[in-house]
Amino acid sequence: MPKNSKAVKRALDDDVTESVKDLLSNEDGRDDTFKKTSLIINNHEGEGKECDVEEGGSDGDEEEEERPAWNSKLQYILAQVGFSVGLGNVWRFPYLCQKNGGGAYLVPYLILLILIGIPLFFLELAVGQRIRRGSIGVWNYISPRLGGIGFASCMVCFFVALYYNVIISWSLFYFSQSFQQPLPWHECPLVKNKTMTYVVPECEKSSATTYYWYREALNISNNISEGGGLNWRMTLCLLAAWTMVCLAMIKGIQSSGKVMYFSSLFPYVVLICFLVRALLLKGSIDGIRHMFTPKLEIMLEPKVWREAATQVFFALGLGFGGVIAFSSYNKRDNNCHFDAVLVSFINFFTSVLATLVVFAVLGFKANIMNGKCISLNTQRIVSLLGNGIEHSLIPHHINLTQGSEVSSEDYGQMMEIIKRVKEDQFDSLGLEACSIEGELNKAVQGTGLAFIAFTEAMTHFPASPFWSVMFFLMLVNLGLGSMFGTIEGILTPLIDTFKVRKEFLTVGCCVLAFSIGLLFVQRSGNYFVAMFDDYSATLPLLIVVVLENVAVAWVYGIDKFFEDLKEMLGFTPYRFYYYMWKYITPTLLIVLLCTSFIQLAMKPPVYSAWIQEEAREQEVFFPPWGVVVCISLMVMAIMPVPVVFALRYFNIIDDSSGGISTVAYKKGRIIKETARPGEDDDASLIQGKSPSEAPSPMPGNSIYRKQSGGGTGGNEADTAPNGRYGIGYLMADMPDMPESDL
């Protein structure tokens, strides 16, 4: 045994369990040997290198030296809420609710939230908090052959970040244009020539807000093959969006955590203000009534349940790695079960609140559009009196004189009489059946809801610029909250694995993403956003989450995981989670994966192209190269899983843990200790003034324990790289799992 290993031997034979919680909660009672530890690290040449690691000071200082930590529990909850509550809550959930049975849709959504959402969210929180690594380190620790899951999560995060920040840049553009009275999309622009003034034909055929979105904001091309050059205004907005993300993330959670107070809370202020204002407008109650009128028969359709499961899945941000990254900065005794339930239901109630706001505003818009429809058709009826429509068909109490207003009920009664009497000639009369229900049934989602329907409704608000500024600032904040989690899902695992400086990696990642993102701000960029949105994340994320569930429940072992949770939380989780993780949730995920794959296979890749001459959207098939790109996005996202599995299986990357024994942190500087060939791993442990020489002030049930055993047991367990005091703490009852060699 080497001469420097005697002190380590004494430490290893001391069978006293100590946890981070114990050490932190009894900081004042520790001996001076805990305050400052002299570390002797053996290098490859066999010479000892000594360095001092300050262990004294505040809890915050210790966390900063080893791993950043949240300043407060509130900051952490706001970060998770900001990540999970995104643009989809505002423009996807209301659309699904309207499309799939109104209020009845909430029933399958809640059921699947309990069966899929909360168990998987709890699982990701638990493994991140337990192992204190990003997605790459977590899944490599659980099973090195499944280490590709973390890389796949990073790939998906990168793809999503590329186009998600483009949506933020669109919101920034509209935000910058909202400081005008009237709003620039209030009415169609006029074209003047020497003889006459006329409305732009493209706008006249569509609407003012539709024209502004496609022509003024995007200046969109007719198809994806027509690049059309960069849209310089959107390029500047994209640069501003990536600059904000970079500045907020450059110091990690120490900087982004402070931004969360505003970016996570501000959207709720805006939503509540919008709801109160909308409820005071005529027609808002019609929208809310339409929204919550249940269509129970639709609940029996499998498509409703599939779409509810998909929405639950993406609403919580499962599989991205952001949930794992954020939870890895928690203390190990944090009650992550409470966090999982709290954040899941905050997300659900936010979706319901956003739906109330959207349909209250759309009800107001539908009332206005219905009034315009009635006015136009009433004029048409007046012109047809005595020339296709007899005066006797008009009820006596309805006044059709110029300047009089016909109510929706009177118009409906009049149309019913005309249609019954003139049944054969009705189509030739050119009359429309105007109704608020008909307007509300025109389902819109995504950019169509935010940048067309909602903006049109806001033009009719009193003080419309103010509400426009508030709305688009809310969209920017919702987007940024999700972007922080997405970027954290990229940076944290890469920093944990490759030990690079966070500042350099953050700037490099943002510069690279902005450069690639220029693809999305050319004239055809909107079509590429749709392509990435449809094909870069859905299937890969489903595969990632299925593998996560299987890795924990079947590879690592559900019983062992429950023991870890009991030691970490201080109580045994409900047995409900045992059956969810082991049987029900993976089964439901596999069914969802199969149905999603079948849906993609049966429907050829298409996108909605804006045809300028006709001023309307039209579904167009992707060209052959576009189909190749769609398939490549899915393959590239999931490729790390089989690649890493093959490298591990065929021992191209060695599974042994001899290469890395311990990693300690000291003010941003990484110290690695590697075993010398032919020596025990005990000799490669950090030696010196070990805290184990003094009795632990409060031994208890810990998730760590001192390594014990003789000098020949070096390869039986791998030292935990996050041990706070660098003396070789081990995860209790953990299998032989090395750190990533990738």
Side-chain angles (χ1 to χ4, degrees), residues 673-691:
E673 302 84 48
T674 56
R676 281 181 276 174
E679 289 188 350
D680 296 331
D681 273 0
D682 287 355
S684 69
L685 295 174
I686 302 173
Q687 303 171 4
K689 300 175 184 177
S690 170

Side-chain angles (χ1 to χ4, degrees), residues 434-581:
C434 304
S435 71
I436 293 178
E437 289 293 316
E439 289 292 333
L440 287 170
N441 281 330
K442 295 177 181 177
V444 287
Q445 64 167 322
T447 54
L449 174 64
F451 299 109
I452 297 176
F454 219 87
T455 51
E456 185 173 353
M458 286 188 296
T459 59
H460 301 290
F461 276 31
S464 55
F466 168 78
W467 293 104
S468 183
V469 167
M470 293 285 281
F471 177 70
F472 290 110
L473 187 57
M474 178 191 73
L475 289 188
V476 169
N477 279 277
L478 283 173
L480 286 176
S482 297
M483 273 298 294
F484 294 155
T486 304
I487 297 297
E488 199 67 56
I490 301 171
L491 300 180
T492 298
L494 292 180
I495 291 168
D496 288 343
T497 305
F498 301 108
K499 313 303 178 190
V500 295
R501 284 184 63 89
K502 192 173 188 81
E503 294 85 352
F504 295 154
L505 183 61
T506 302
V507 173
C509 179
C510 291
V511 170
L512 176 63
F514 170 73
S515 303
I516 300 175
L518 295 176
L519 173 72
F520 302 104
V521 290
Q522 56 180 341
R523 289 185 59 197
S524 60
N526 188 48
Y527 305 137
F528 286 98
V529 170
M531 174 193 287
F532 272 66
D533 190 32
D534 291 338
Y535 297 99
S536 70
T538 307
L539 276 182
L541 277 181
L542 282 171
I543 295 171
V544 164
V545 175
V546 168
L547 291 174
E548 287 181 359
N549 198 159
V550 170
V552 171
W554 294 92
V555 177
Y556 182 74
I558 192 68
D559 295 313
K560 189 180 297 183
F561 188 57
F562 254 67
E563 291 176 10
D564 294 342
L565 288 175
K566 182 179 179 181
E567 292 175 342
M568 185 168 66
L569 302 176
F571 62 89
T572 303
Y574 299 114
R575 201 68 179 171
F576 164 81
Y577 292 106
Y578 182 94
Y579 298 107
M580 287 296 107
W581 287 330

Side-chain angles (χ1 to χ4, degrees), residues 306-547:
R306 180 179 62 80
E307 291 189 342
T310 305
Q311 178 62 19
V312 166
F313 182 83
F314 287 106
L316 293 174
L318 301 172
F320 282 94
V323 173
I324 294 175
F326 280 151
S327 67
S328 72
Y329 299 116
N330 271 332
K331 296 179 181 178
R332 282 190 174 92
D333 60 349
N334 174 61
N335 187 349
C336 55
H337 174 255
F338 172 79
D339 300 341
V341 176
L342 177 65
V343 173
S344 297
F345 278 101
I346 288 176
N347 187 290
F348 171 70
F349 288 118
T350 304
S351 297
V352 174
L353 174 62
T355 303
L356 282 171
V357 172
V358 166
F359 275 91
V361 172
L362 291 183
F364 165 68
K365 172 179 173 282
N367 202 278
I368 292 175
M369 300 306 293
N370 186 57
K372 290 182 178 180
C373 179
I374 291 173
S375 178
L376 288 172
N377 282 272
T378 301
Q379 294 175 20
R380 174 72 176 164
I381 291 172
V382 170
S383 67
L384 291 172
L385 287 175
N387 187 25
I389 298 178
E390 294 77 15
H391 286 273
S392 59
L393 297 180
I394 308 300
H396 297 294
H397 68 279
I398 298 178
N399 184 10
L400 294 182
T401 58
Q402 190 172 7
S404 61
E405 187 174 330
V406 179
S407 68
S408 182
E409 293 78 11
D410 289 344
Y411 178 79
Q413 182 183 356
M414 183 169 57
M415 285 294 293
E416 187 178 345
I417 295 172
I418 295 173
K419 191 171 185 178
R420 187 173 64 249
V421 175
K422 299 285 185 179
E423 186 174 356
D424 296 333
Q425 299 89 19
F426 183 79
D427 292 338
S428 62
L429 297 176
L431 299 175
E432 296 180 26
C434 304
S435 71
I436 293 178
E437 289 293 316
E439 289 292 333
L440 287 170
N441 281 330
K442 295 177 181 177
V444 287
Q445 64 167 322
T447 54
L449 174 64
F451 299 109
I452 297 176
F454 219 87
T455 51
E456 185 173 353
M458 286 188 296
T459 59
H460 301 290
F461 276 31
S464 55
F466 168 78
W467 293 104
S468 183
V469 167
M470 293 285 281
F471 177 70
F472 290 110
L473 187 57
M474 178 191 73
L475 289 188
V476 169
N477 279 277
L478 283 173
L480 286 176
S482 297
M483 273 298 294
F484 294 155
T486 304
I487 297 297
E488 199 67 56
I490 301 171
L491 300 180
T492 298
L494 292 180
I495 291 168
D496 288 343
T497 305
F498 301 108
K499 313 303 178 190
V500 295
R501 284 184 63 89
K502 192 173 188 81
E503 294 85 352
F504 295 154
L505 183 61
T506 302
V507 173
C509 179
C510 291
V511 170
L512 176 63
F514 170 73
S515 303
I516 300 175
L518 295 176
L519 173 72
F520 302 104
V521 290
Q522 56 180 341
R523 289 185 59 197
S524 60
N526 188 48
Y527 305 137
F528 286 98
V529 170
M531 174 193 287
F532 272 66
D533 190 32
D534 291 338
Y535 297 99
S536 70
T538 307
L539 276 182
L541 277 181
L542 282 171
I543 295 171
V544 164
V545 175
V546 168
L547 291 174

